[in-house]
Amino acid sequence: MSELAAFLAGQIECARGTAGAAAPSNFDGIASTSPDGIVAADAANTIVAWNAGAERLFGYTAEEAIGQPLDIIVPLGNRNAHRAGVARVAGNGPANLIGRSVNLHGLRKDGTQIPIELSLSQWMERGERRFGAIIRDDSERQRLEESLRGATMLDHLTGLANRASLDRRLAALAAAGRRVTLLLIDLDGFKEVNDTLGHLAGDHVLAEVAARLRSHVVGGQFVARMGGDEFVVLMEDDANPLAGAWLGETLIDAIEQAITIEDAMVSISASIGVACSSGDATADRLVGDADLALYKAKRGGRGRTELFTPDLRLKIVEKGLARAELAAAWAGDEFELYYQPQISLRSGRLCGAEALLRWIHPRRGVLAPGAFLPLLEADALAISVGGWIIDEACRQAAEWRAGPFPDFRIAINLFALQFKSGDIVGEVTRALERHALPPDALELEITENTILKSDERILKQLNRLREIGVGLAFDDFGTGFASLSMLRHYPVTKIKIDRTFVSGADVCERDRAITQALVQMAHGLEIEVIAEGIETVEHHALMLGQGCDMGQGYLYSRPVNARTFRALSEAMPTLRAAG
């Protein structure tokens, strides 16, 4: 538009310089061919020219407009500023808008306002200042921009507001100090839909869930899709956790109704975290609180609604601090392996040991696994620490085999992450080669919970480890529901009967019968059996009588560091006597 305005002003100036009074005719010629509104006014703010485009735009004919003040197309609220601007330029003051395109509103004859794009120019005619305006209806551009803006604020799959729209809504609510209850919804079982029926089916499920959420909210409740299979419902001007929990249960009931996809019936559920804003809560804080509540709901099982409570945030802070401390411990070489002997029940001879991780804390002393292992197991640091355990245990076992314990076998506990993210077969092979340790001197212990959560990749790795001669033991055997069937499918060489069957306070005759049956079954499969938790001579005798091959427990020794463990060789006669 500014180029057209400059052209117009140039044509008029040229006409004035060469033909004097011919300027108006030149103006009229240009104005009559332009599809835009073209208006000219004098220094007194009076309209002196008005083309057909201006007639269409504002509703006034040329006869009605010419001679009238330009104010007739200026909204009431802008007229004082408009008149002051004309007077300023007429008095040779600064022309702030001349030569620029501006977007504002114009006033039509019927009293309605329309968005316009305006380009102004000025020139001198017969010694008098003239102003020209090229005016274009801006409605279509604004509608297009609004449409595009709306498109960027919508989730195209579900038609709900998207994350950007949610962020904007939350920011506005927070800025206005309005209270809100936020429900963060995550679908349970959605991944299985994608994996089994494909992504088109997954899209259908997301669209259906969105429709159900929309149909179950009322006025003052805002629904958005966060992304993936996460949704948000806002209860505006209502910070009531009980109302949030009630709505959460209502939405779960709606989501759990079966969804038909072609010939398949799909059933999913949802977990929901609920958080209410407080006086100083930011949008990010509110979403974060709901996320903590959602995490609690997920851990509690499918189809649950949980409310945020401040202790959840404290737990996360504590966990974050503990993670940082764990990383510092790893960097500072504060981890050490302790060893608990494993004894032949029949001969009392030392067969090997289980390597157990300890944290030598600079202030709290030696920390047992219960104080840090659950956190370490869920952290990527487990891969590095697990690799170090393998290498250090193999090194120590090789040293003892070359000295006082020639037939020594070391048992190592593995983290689940080592199977999923690490090269466990390669790590084990390299450690054995590096320390010249024969594969049958190493035994890897895995819990059946790790196996139950595994996939085909873990089974392949276990088979490969067994092929190279490494022993595999099920730890805490008997505490899970799938132990017996697991023995058929996994290359197990040893089972460890859990201490609750050996020395638990409530051990009864039925437990002893179960233990004896397990021993007989294992031996039938040519699998060795070791009993954990042997604390008394009576426990030793009982497990020996039930046919267990080996024992481990406080009767023989607590876990000790490598220096202390070596001294155990002097206690072997005592152990034999116990047997």
PDB file of all heavy atoms in Angstrom, residues 162-199:
ATOM      1  N   ASN A 162      -4.797 -26.998  21.983  1.00  0.00           N
ATOM      2  CA  ASN A 162      -3.503 -27.686  22.085  1.00  0.00           C
ATOM      3  C   ASN A 162      -2.682 -27.129  23.240  1.00  0.00           C
ATOM      4  O   ASN A 162      -3.162 -26.309  24.028  1.00  0.00           O
ATOM      5  CB  ASN A 162      -2.742 -27.601  20.762  1.00  0.00           C
ATOM      6  CG  ASN A 162      -2.399 -26.173  20.382  1.00  0.00           C
ATOM      7  OD1 ASN A 162      -2.544 -25.237  21.168  1.00  0.00           O
ATOM      8  ND2 ASN A 162      -1.944 -25.997  19.148  1.00  0.00           N
ATOM      9  N   ARG A 163      -1.424 -27.580  23.340  1.00  0.00           N
ATOM     10  CA  ARG A 163      -0.585 -27.179  24.468  1.00  0.00           C
ATOM     11  C   ARG A 163      -0.349 -25.661  24.483  1.00  0.00           C
ATOM     12  O   ARG A 163      -0.367 -25.037  25.545  1.00  0.00           O
ATOM     13  CB  ARG A 163       0.761 -27.924  24.388  1.00  0.00           C
ATOM     14  CG  ARG A 163       1.757 -27.551  25.496  1.00  0.00           C
ATOM     15  CD  ARG A 163       1.200 -27.901  26.857  1.00  0.00           C
ATOM     16  NE  ARG A 163       2.046 -27.437  27.927  1.00  0.00           N
ATOM     17  CZ  ARG A 163       2.997 -28.159  28.508  1.00  0.00           C
ATOM     18  NH1 ARG A 163       3.228 -29.403  28.102  1.00  0.00           N
ATOM     19  NH2 ARG A 163       3.721 -27.678  29.506  1.00  0.00           N
ATOM     20  N   ALA A 164      -0.146 -25.060  23.305  1.00  0.00           N
ATOM     21  CA  ALA A 164       0.078 -23.615  23.254  1.00  0.00           C
ATOM     22  C   ALA A 164      -1.143 -22.864  23.770  1.00  0.00           C
ATOM     23  O   ALA A 164      -1.021 -21.883  24.508  1.00  0.00           O
ATOM     24  CB  ALA A 164       0.410 -23.190  21.830  1.00  0.00           C
ATOM     25  N   SER A 165      -2.323 -23.330  23.385  1.00  0.00           N
ATOM     26  CA  SER A 165      -3.551 -22.693  23.846  1.00  0.00           C
ATOM     27  C   SER A 165      -3.719 -22.868  25.350  1.00  0.00           C
ATOM     28  O   SER A 165      -4.146 -21.943  26.057  1.00  0.00           O
ATOM     29  CB  SER A 165      -4.748 -23.298  23.112  1.00  0.00           C
ATOM     30  OG  SER A 165      -5.953 -22.708  23.534  1.00  0.00           O
ATOM     31  N   LEU A 166      -3.384 -24.051  25.853  1.00  0.00           N
ATOM     32  CA  LEU A 166      -3.465 -24.298  27.292  1.00  0.00           C
ATOM     33  C   LEU A 166      -2.525 -23.381  28.060  1.00  0.00           C
ATOM     34  O   LEU A 166      -2.904 -22.787  29.079  1.00  0.00           O
ATOM     35  CB  LEU A 166      -3.125 -25.763  27.583  1.00  0.00           C
ATOM     36  CG  LEU A 166      -2.998 -26.128  29.070  1.00  0.00           C
ATOM     37  CD1 LEU A 166      -4.350 -26.008  29.768  1.00  0.00           C
ATOM     38  CD2 LEU A 166      -2.432 -27.540  29.221  1.00  0.00           C
ATOM     39  N   ASP A 167      -1.295 -23.265  27.568  1.00  0.00           N
ATOM     40  CA  ASP A 167      -0.318 -22.398  28.240  1.00  0.00           C
ATOM     41  C   ASP A 167      -0.824 -20.963  28.297  1.00  0.00           C
ATOM     42  O   ASP A 167      -0.684 -20.273  29.315  1.00  0.00           O
ATOM     43  CB  ASP A 167       1.021 -22.454  27.508  1.00  0.00           C
ATOM     44  CG  ASP A 167       1.726 -23.791  27.679  1.00  0.00           C
ATOM     45  OD1 ASP A 167       1.335 -24.545  28.591  1.00  0.00           O
ATOM     46  OD2 ASP A 167       2.649 -24.083  26.902  1.00  0.00           O
ATOM     47  N   ARG A 168      -1.406 -20.501  27.183  1.00  0.00           N
ATOM     48  CA  ARG A 168      -1.925 -19.134  27.143  1.00  0.00           C
ATOM     49  C   ARG A 168      -3.079 -18.973  28.130  1.00  0.00           C
ATOM     50  O   ARG A 168      -3.174 -17.967  28.846  1.00  0.00           O
ATOM     51  CB  ARG A 168      -2.382 -18.793  25.729  1.00  0.00           C
ATOM     52  CG  ARG A 168      -2.962 -17.405  25.600  1.00  0.00           C
ATOM     53  CD  ARG A 168      -3.376 -17.094  24.171  1.00  0.00           C
ATOM     54  NE  ARG A 168      -2.226 -16.992  23.283  1.00  0.00           N
ATOM     55  CZ  ARG A 168      -2.307 -16.627  22.011  1.00  0.00           C
ATOM     56  NH1 ARG A 168      -3.483 -16.335  21.480  1.00  0.00           N
ATOM     57  NH2 ARG A 168      -1.229 -16.548  21.263  1.00  0.00           N
ATOM     58  N   ARG A 169      -3.956 -19.977  28.187  1.00  0.00           N
ATOM     59  CA  ARG A 169      -5.105 -19.908  29.096  1.00  0.00           C
ATOM     60  C   ARG A 169      -4.642 -19.890  30.551  1.00  0.00           C
ATOM     61  O   ARG A 169      -5.123 -19.093  31.367  1.00  0.00           O
ATOM     62  CB  ARG A 169      -6.009 -21.116  28.840  1.00  0.00           C
ATOM     63  CG  ARG A 169      -7.339 -21.119  29.566  1.00  0.00           C
ATOM     64  CD  ARG A 169      -8.277 -20.067  29.024  1.00  0.00           C
ATOM     65  NE  ARG A 169      -9.654 -20.328  29.412  1.00  0.00           N
ATOM     66  CZ  ARG A 169     -10.601 -20.685  28.563  1.00  0.00           C
ATOM     67  NH1 ARG A 169     -10.315 -20.833  27.283  1.00  0.00           N
ATOM     68  NH2 ARG A 169     -11.834 -20.892  28.981  1.00  0.00           N
ATOM     69  N   LEU A 170      -3.698 -20.753  30.887  1.00  0.00           N
ATOM     70  CA  LEU A 170      -3.193 -20.804  32.258  1.00  0.00           C
ATOM     71  C   LEU A 170      -2.496 -19.510  32.645  1.00  0.00           C
ATOM     72  O   LEU A 170      -2.642 -19.028  33.780  1.00  0.00           O
ATOM     73  CB  LEU A 170      -2.227 -21.987  32.415  1.00  0.00           C
ATOM     74  CG  LEU A 170      -2.857 -23.375  32.462  1.00  0.00           C
ATOM     75  CD1 LEU A 170      -1.773 -24.450  32.453  1.00  0.00           C
ATOM     76  CD2 LEU A 170      -3.727 -23.525  33.715  1.00  0.00           C
ATOM     77  N   ALA A 171      -1.728 -18.943  31.718  1.00  0.00           N
ATOM     78  CA  ALA A 171      -1.032 -17.684  32.000  1.00  0.00           C
ATOM     79  C   ALA A 171      -2.034 -16.569  32.261  1.00  0.00           C
ATOM     80  O   ALA A 171      -1.847 -15.752  33.176  1.00  0.00           O
ATOM     81  CB  ALA A 171      -0.110 -17.321  30.837  1.00  0.00           C
ATOM     82  N   ALA A 172      -3.104 -16.532  31.479  1.00  0.00           N
ATOM     83  CA  ALA A 172      -4.125 -15.500  31.670  1.00  0.00           C
ATOM     84  C   ALA A 172      -4.835 -15.673  33.012  1.00  0.00           C
ATOM     85  O   ALA A 172      -5.101 -14.694  33.726  1.00  0.00           O
ATOM     86  CB  ALA A 172      -5.135 -15.550  30.524  1.00  0.00           C
ATOM     87  N   LEU A 173      -5.130 -16.907  33.374  1.00  0.00           N
ATOM     88  CA  LEU A 173      -5.789 -17.164  34.659  1.00  0.00           C
ATOM     89  C   LEU A 173      -4.891 -16.768  35.827  1.00  0.00           C
ATOM     90  O   LEU A 173      -5.347 -16.176  36.814  1.00  0.00           O
ATOM     91  CB  LEU A 173      -6.173 -18.644  34.758  1.00  0.00           C
ATOM     92  CG  LEU A 173      -7.292 -19.127  33.829  1.00  0.00           C
ATOM     93  CD1 LEU A 173      -7.386 -20.644  33.853  1.00  0.00           C
ATOM     94  CD2 LEU A 173      -8.622 -18.504  34.236  1.00  0.00           C
ATOM     95  N   ALA A 174      -3.609 -17.113  35.697  1.00  0.00           N
ATOM     96  CA  ALA A 174      -2.664 -16.772  36.762  1.00  0.00           C
ATOM     97  C   ALA A 174      -2.499 -15.263  36.879  1.00  0.00           C
ATOM     98  O   ALA A 174      -2.458 -14.714  37.984  1.00  0.00           O
ATOM     99  CB  ALA A 174      -1.315 -17.441  36.495  1.00  0.00           C
ATOM    100  N   ALA A 175      -2.410 -14.570  35.739  1.00  0.00           N
ATOM    101  CA  ALA A 175      -2.240 -13.115  35.754  1.00  0.00           C
ATOM    102  C   ALA A 175      -3.450 -12.432  36.377  1.00  0.00           C
ATOM    103  O   ALA A 175      -3.317 -11.395  37.042  1.00  0.00           O
ATOM    104  CB  ALA A 175      -2.015 -12.607  34.335  1.00  0.00           C
ATOM    105  N   ALA A 176      -4.632 -13.007  36.176  1.00  0.00           N
ATOM    106  CA  ALA A 176      -5.851 -12.424  36.732  1.00  0.00           C
ATOM    107  C   ALA A 176      -6.090 -12.857  38.172  1.00  0.00           C
ATOM    108  O   ALA A 176      -7.056 -12.408  38.802  1.00  0.00           O
ATOM    109  CB  ALA A 176      -7.046 -12.821  35.862  1.00  0.00           C
ATOM    110  N   GLY A 177      -5.227 -13.727  38.694  1.00  0.00           N
ATOM    111  CA  GLY A 177      -5.390 -14.197  40.066  1.00  0.00           C
ATOM    112  C   GLY A 177      -6.574 -15.109  40.264  1.00  0.00           C
ATOM    113  O   GLY A 177      -7.089 -15.243  41.376  1.00  0.00           O
ATOM    114  N   ARG A 178      -7.030 -15.756  39.201  1.00  0.00           N
ATOM    115  CA  ARG A 178      -8.197 -16.632  39.298  1.00  0.00           C
ATOM    116  C   ARG A 178      -7.777 -18.030  39.737  1.00  0.00           C
ATOM    117  O   ARG A 178      -6.736 -18.535  39.326  1.00  0.00           O
ATOM    118  CB  ARG A 178      -8.927 -16.683  37.956  1.00  0.00           C
ATOM    119  CG  ARG A 178      -9.550 -15.339  37.565  1.00  0.00           C
ATOM    120  CD  ARG A 178     -10.007 -15.337  36.127  1.00  0.00           C
ATOM    121  NE  ARG A 178     -11.020 -16.364  35.868  1.00  0.00           N
ATOM    122  CZ  ARG A 178     -11.486 -16.635  34.654  1.00  0.00           C
ATOM    123  NH1 ARG A 178     -11.025 -15.961  33.599  1.00  0.00           N
ATOM    124  NH2 ARG A 178     -12.402 -17.565  34.480  1.00  0.00           N
ATOM    125  N   ARG A 179      -8.597 -18.638  40.554  1.00  0.00           N
ATOM    126  CA  ARG A 179      -8.302 -19.986  41.057  1.00  0.00           C
ATOM    127  C   ARG A 179      -8.702 -21.019  40.007  1.00  0.00           C
ATOM    128  O   ARG A 179      -9.606 -20.795  39.198  1.00  0.00           O
ATOM    129  CB  ARG A 179      -9.070 -20.256  42.358  1.00  0.00           C
ATOM    130  CG  ARG A 179      -8.857 -19.217  43.424  1.00  0.00           C
ATOM    131  CD  ARG A 179      -7.406 -19.202  43.914  1.00  0.00           C
ATOM    132  NE  ARG A 179      -7.053 -20.454  44.563  1.00  0.00           N
ATOM    133  CZ  ARG A 179      -7.279 -20.708  45.853  1.00  0.00           C
ATOM    134  NH1 ARG A 179      -7.871 -19.802  46.609  1.00  0.00           N
ATOM    135  NH2 ARG A 179      -6.912 -21.855  46.382  1.00  0.00           N
ATOM    136  N   VAL A 180      -8.044 -22.169  40.045  1.00  0.00           N
ATOM    137  CA  VAL A 180      -8.321 -23.192  39.042  1.00  0.00           C
ATOM    138  C   VAL A 180      -7.959 -24.558  39.592  1.00  0.00           C
ATOM    139  O   VAL A 180      -7.040 -24.694  40.417  1.00  0.00           O
ATOM    140  CB  VAL A 180      -7.535 -22.904  37.738  1.00  0.00           C
ATOM    141  CG1 VAL A 180      -6.043 -22.969  37.974  1.00  0.00           C
ATOM    142  CG2 VAL A 180      -7.945 -23.863  36.625  1.00  0.00           C
ATOM    143  N   THR A 181      -8.706 -25.555  39.178  1.00  0.00           N
ATOM    144  CA  THR A 181      -8.371 -26.952  39.446  1.00  0.00           C
ATOM    145  C   THR A 181      -7.992 -27.591  38.124  1.00  0.00           C
ATOM    146  O   THR A 181      -8.734 -27.481  37.151  1.00  0.00           O
ATOM    147  CB  THR A 181      -9.558 -27.707  40.066  1.00  0.00           C
ATOM    148  OG1 THR A 181      -9.880 -27.106  41.325  1.00  0.00           O
ATOM    149  CG2 THR A 181      -9.217 -29.177  40.288  1.00  0.00           C
ATOM    150  N   LEU A 182      -6.847 -28.240  38.088  1.00  0.00           N
ATOM    151  CA  LEU A 182      -6.335 -28.838  36.845  1.00  0.00           C
ATOM    152  C   LEU A 182      -6.311 -30.354  36.985  1.00  0.00           C
ATOM    153  O   LEU A 182      -5.788 -30.890  37.960  1.00  0.00           O
ATOM    154  CB  LEU A 182      -4.933 -28.299  36.542  1.00  0.00           C
ATOM    155  CG  LEU A 182      -4.309 -28.722  35.200  1.00  0.00           C
ATOM    156  CD1 LEU A 182      -3.413 -27.594  34.668  1.00  0.00           C
ATOM    157  CD2 LEU A 182      -3.469 -29.994  35.336  1.00  0.00           C
ATOM    158  N   LEU A 183      -6.894 -31.037  36.000  1.00  0.00           N
ATOM    159  CA  LEU A 183      -6.858 -32.495  35.922  1.00  0.00           C
ATOM    160  C   LEU A 183      -5.943 -32.896  34.767  1.00  0.00           C
ATOM    161  O   LEU A 183      -6.198 -32.526  33.614  1.00  0.00           O
ATOM    162  CB  LEU A 183      -8.252 -33.079  35.677  1.00  0.00           C
ATOM    163  CG  LEU A 183      -9.242 -33.106  36.852  1.00  0.00           C
ATOM    164  CD1 LEU A 183      -9.755 -31.708  37.167  1.00  0.00           C
ATOM    165  CD2 LEU A 183     -10.408 -34.043  36.552  1.00  0.00           C
ATOM    166  N   LEU A 184      -4.885 -33.611  35.070  1.00  0.00           N
ATOM    167  CA  LEU A 184      -3.955 -34.117  34.054  1.00  0.00           C
ATOM    168  C   LEU A 184      -4.272 -35.592  33.837  1.00  0.00           C
ATOM    169  O   LEU A 184      -4.197 -36.398  34.767  1.00  0.00           O
ATOM    170  CB  LEU A 184      -2.510 -33.930  34.508  1.00  0.00           C
ATOM    171  CG  LEU A 184      -1.420 -34.353  33.531  1.00  0.00           C
ATOM    172  CD1 LEU A 184      -1.547 -33.621  32.205  1.00  0.00           C
ATOM    173  CD2 LEU A 184      -0.043 -34.112  34.134  1.00  0.00           C
ATOM    174  N   ILE A 185      -4.642 -35.936  32.610  1.00  0.00           N
ATOM    175  CA  ILE A 185      -5.171 -37.274  32.282  1.00  0.00           C
ATOM    176  C   ILE A 185      -4.195 -37.997  31.369  1.00  0.00           C
ATOM    177  O   ILE A 185      -3.791 -37.464  30.333  1.00  0.00           O
ATOM    178  CB  ILE A 185      -6.542 -37.140  31.583  1.00  0.00           C
ATOM    179  CG1 ILE A 185      -7.497 -36.317  32.459  1.00  0.00           C
ATOM    180  CG2 ILE A 185      -7.121 -38.509  31.257  1.00  0.00           C
ATOM    181  CD1 ILE A 185      -8.705 -35.791  31.699  1.00  0.00           C
ATOM    182  N   ASP A 186      -3.823 -39.196  31.734  1.00  0.00           N
ATOM    183  CA  ASP A 186      -2.945 -40.028  30.909  1.00  0.00           C
ATOM    184  C   ASP A 186      -3.628 -41.367  30.679  1.00  0.00           C
ATOM    185  O   ASP A 186      -4.093 -42.011  31.634  1.00  0.00           O
ATOM    186  CB  ASP A 186      -1.594 -40.226  31.601  1.00  0.00           C
ATOM    187  CG  ASP A 186      -0.607 -40.974  30.719  1.00  0.00           C
ATOM    188  OD1 ASP A 186       0.114 -40.322  29.960  1.00  0.00           O
ATOM    189  OD2 ASP A 186      -0.564 -42.230  30.800  1.00  0.00           O
ATOM    190  N   LEU A 187      -3.696 -41.785  29.415  1.00  0.00           N
ATOM    191  CA  LEU A 187      -4.397 -43.030  29.086  1.00  0.00           C
ATOM    192  C   LEU A 187      -3.569 -44.248  29.477  1.00  0.00           C
ATOM    193  O   LEU A 187      -2.368 -44.298  29.229  1.00  0.00           O
ATOM    194  CB  LEU A 187      -4.725 -43.068  27.596  1.00  0.00           C
ATOM    195  CG  LEU A 187      -5.579 -41.914  27.055  1.00  0.00           C
ATOM    196  CD1 LEU A 187      -5.898 -42.146  25.590  1.00  0.00           C
ATOM    197  CD2 LEU A 187      -6.853 -41.739  27.874  1.00  0.00           C
ATOM    198  N   ASP A 188      -4.222 -45.229  30.064  1.00  0.00           N
ATOM    199  CA  ASP A 188      -3.590 -46.502  30.411  1.00  0.00           C
ATOM    200  C   ASP A 188      -3.893 -47.512  29.306  1.00  0.00           C
ATOM    201  O   ASP A 188      -5.057 -47.695  28.941  1.00  0.00           O
ATOM    202  CB  ASP A 188      -4.134 -47.043  31.744  1.00  0.00           C
ATOM    203  CG  ASP A 188      -3.909 -46.091  32.903  1.00  0.00           C
ATOM    204  OD1 ASP A 188      -2.822 -45.485  32.950  1.00  0.00           O
ATOM    205  OD2 ASP A 188      -4.802 -45.956  33.748  1.00  0.00           O
ATOM    206  N   GLY A 189      -2.867 -48.150  28.789  1.00  0.00           N
ATOM    207  CA  GLY A 189      -3.068 -49.176  27.773  1.00  0.00           C
ATOM    208  C   GLY A 189      -3.078 -48.643  26.361  1.00  0.00           C
ATOM    209  O   GLY A 189      -3.329 -49.402  25.413  1.00  0.00           O
ATOM    210  N   PHE A 190      -2.788 -47.344  26.180  1.00  0.00           N
ATOM    211  CA  PHE A 190      -2.829 -46.783  24.822  1.00  0.00           C
ATOM    212  C   PHE A 190      -1.692 -47.323  23.955  1.00  0.00           C
ATOM    213  O   PHE A 190      -1.871 -47.550  22.755  1.00  0.00           O
ATOM    214  CB  PHE A 190      -2.762 -45.258  24.887  1.00  0.00           C
ATOM    215  CG  PHE A 190      -2.778 -44.598  23.540  1.00  0.00           C
ATOM    216  CD1 PHE A 190      -3.928 -44.584  22.773  1.00  0.00           C
ATOM    217  CD2 PHE A 190      -1.635 -44.024  23.021  1.00  0.00           C
ATOM    218  CE1 PHE A 190      -3.950 -43.989  21.513  1.00  0.00           C
ATOM    219  CE2 PHE A 190      -1.635 -43.430  21.772  1.00  0.00           C
ATOM    220  CZ  PHE A 190      -2.794 -43.416  21.018  1.00  0.00           C
ATOM    221  N   LYS A 191      -0.525 -47.526  24.544  1.00  0.00           N
ATOM    222  CA  LYS A 191       0.610 -48.040  23.767  1.00  0.00           C
ATOM    223  C   LYS A 191       0.273 -49.397  23.151  1.00  0.00           C
ATOM    224  O   LYS A 191       0.638 -49.690  22.015  1.00  0.00           O
ATOM    225  CB  LYS A 191       1.850 -48.161  24.649  1.00  0.00           C
ATOM    226  CG  LYS A 191       3.104 -48.645  23.912  1.00  0.00           C
ATOM    227  CD  LYS A 191       4.293 -48.693  24.841  1.00  0.00           C
ATOM    228  CE  LYS A 191       5.560 -49.118  24.094  1.00  0.00           C
ATOM    229  NZ  LYS A 191       5.453 -50.457  23.507  1.00  0.00           N
ATOM    230  N   GLU A 192      -0.444 -50.223  23.903  1.00  0.00           N
ATOM    231  CA  GLU A 192      -0.808 -51.539  23.384  1.00  0.00           C
ATOM    232  C   GLU A 192      -1.736 -51.415  22.176  1.00  0.00           C
ATOM    233  O   GLU A 192      -1.673 -52.224  21.248  1.00  0.00           O
ATOM    234  CB  GLU A 192      -1.479 -52.373  24.477  1.00  0.00           C
ATOM    235  CG  GLU A 192      -0.533 -52.889  25.550  1.00  0.00           C
ATOM    236  CD  GLU A 192      -0.108 -51.812  26.532  1.00  0.00           C
ATOM    237  OE1 GLU A 192      -0.683 -50.699  26.493  1.00  0.00           O
ATOM    238  OE2 GLU A 192       0.803 -52.077  27.347  1.00  0.00           O
ATOM    239  N   VAL A 193      -2.593 -50.401  22.177  1.00  0.00           N
ATOM    240  CA  VAL A 193      -3.474 -50.189  21.020  1.00  0.00           C
ATOM    241  C   VAL A 193      -2.636 -49.875  19.791  1.00  0.00           C
ATOM    242  O   VAL A 193      -2.834 -50.451  18.711  1.00  0.00           O
ATOM    243  CB  VAL A 193      -4.468 -49.040  21.298  1.00  0.00           C
ATOM    244  CG1 VAL A 193      -5.286 -48.728  20.045  1.00  0.00           C
ATOM    245  CG2 VAL A 193      -5.393 -49.398  22.451  1.00  0.00           C
ATOM    246  N   ASN A 194      -1.697 -48.955  19.927  1.00  0.00           N
ATOM    247  CA  ASN A 194      -0.822 -48.614  18.795  1.00  0.00           C
ATOM    248  C   ASN A 194      -0.019 -49.821  18.328  1.00  0.00           C
ATOM    249  O   ASN A 194       0.143 -50.052  17.124  1.00  0.00           O
ATOM    250  CB  ASN A 194       0.139 -47.492  19.200  1.00  0.00           C
ATOM    251  CG  ASN A 194      -0.434 -46.115  18.935  1.00  0.00           C
ATOM    252  OD1 ASN A 194      -1.365 -45.968  18.138  1.00  0.00           O
ATOM    253  ND2 ASN A 194       0.106 -45.115  19.592  1.00  0.00           N
ATOM    254  N   ASP A 195       0.506 -50.589  19.292  1.00  0.00           N
ATOM    255  CA  ASP A 195       1.378 -51.715  18.948  1.00  0.00           C
ATOM    256  C   ASP A 195       0.617 -52.847  18.271  1.00  0.00           C
ATOM    257  O   ASP A 195       1.151 -53.515  17.378  1.00  0.00           O
ATOM    258  CB  ASP A 195       2.088 -52.249  20.199  1.00  0.00           C
ATOM    259  CG  ASP A 195       3.130 -51.274  20.740  1.00  0.00           C
ATOM    260  OD1 ASP A 195       3.479 -50.329  20.008  1.00  0.00           O
ATOM    261  OD2 ASP A 195       3.565 -51.448  21.889  1.00  0.00           O
ATOM    262  N   THR A 196      -0.632 -53.073  18.679  1.00  0.00           N
ATOM    263  CA  THR A 196      -1.371 -54.228  18.160  1.00  0.00           C
ATOM    264  C   THR A 196      -2.279 -53.877  16.981  1.00  0.00           C
ATOM    265  O   THR A 196      -2.430 -54.679  16.050  1.00  0.00           O
ATOM    266  CB  THR A 196      -2.226 -54.876  19.278  1.00  0.00           C
ATOM    267  OG1 THR A 196      -3.110 -53.879  19.816  1.00  0.00           O
ATOM    268  CG2 THR A 196      -1.341 -55.409  20.385  1.00  0.00           C
ATOM    269  N   LEU A 197      -2.891 -52.705  17.001  1.00  0.00           N
ATOM    270  CA  LEU A 197      -3.852 -52.347  15.956  1.00  0.00           C
ATOM    271  C   LEU A 197      -3.346 -51.282  14.999  1.00  0.00           C
ATOM    272  O   LEU A 197      -3.971 -51.023  13.974  1.00  0.00           O
ATOM    273  CB  LEU A 197      -5.165 -51.869  16.599  1.00  0.00           C
ATOM    274  CG  LEU A 197      -5.890 -52.889  17.488  1.00  0.00           C
ATOM    275  CD1 LEU A 197      -7.142 -52.275  18.079  1.00  0.00           C
ATOM    276  CD2 LEU A 197      -6.235 -54.149  16.702  1.00  0.00           C
ATOM    277  N   GLY A 198      -2.233 -50.630  15.338  1.00  0.00           N
ATOM    278  CA  GLY A 198      -1.659 -49.642  14.443  1.00  0.00           C
ATOM    279  C   GLY A 198      -2.008 -48.213  14.858  1.00  0.00           C
ATOM    280  O   GLY A 198      -2.900 -47.964  15.668  1.00  0.00           O
ATOM    281  N   HIS A 199      -1.295 -47.258  14.260  1.00  0.00           N
ATOM    282  CA  HIS A 199      -1.438 -45.857  14.656  1.00  0.00           C
ATOM    283  C   HIS A 199      -2.761 -45.245  14.214  1.00  0.00           C
ATOM    284  O   HIS A 199      -3.268 -44.322  14.858  1.00  0.00           O
ATOM    285  CB  HIS A 199      -0.264 -45.042  14.104  1.00  0.00           C
ATOM    286  CG  HIS A 199       1.034 -45.364  14.793  1.00  0.00           C
ATOM    287  ND1 HIS A 199       1.344 -44.859  16.029  1.00  0.00           N
ATOM    288  CD2 HIS A 199       2.075 -46.152  14.432  1.00  0.00           C
ATOM    289  CE1 HIS A 199       2.526 -45.300  16.407  1.00  0.00           C
ATOM    290  NE2 HIS A 199       2.992 -46.099  15.446  1.00  0.00           N
TER     291      HIS A 199
END
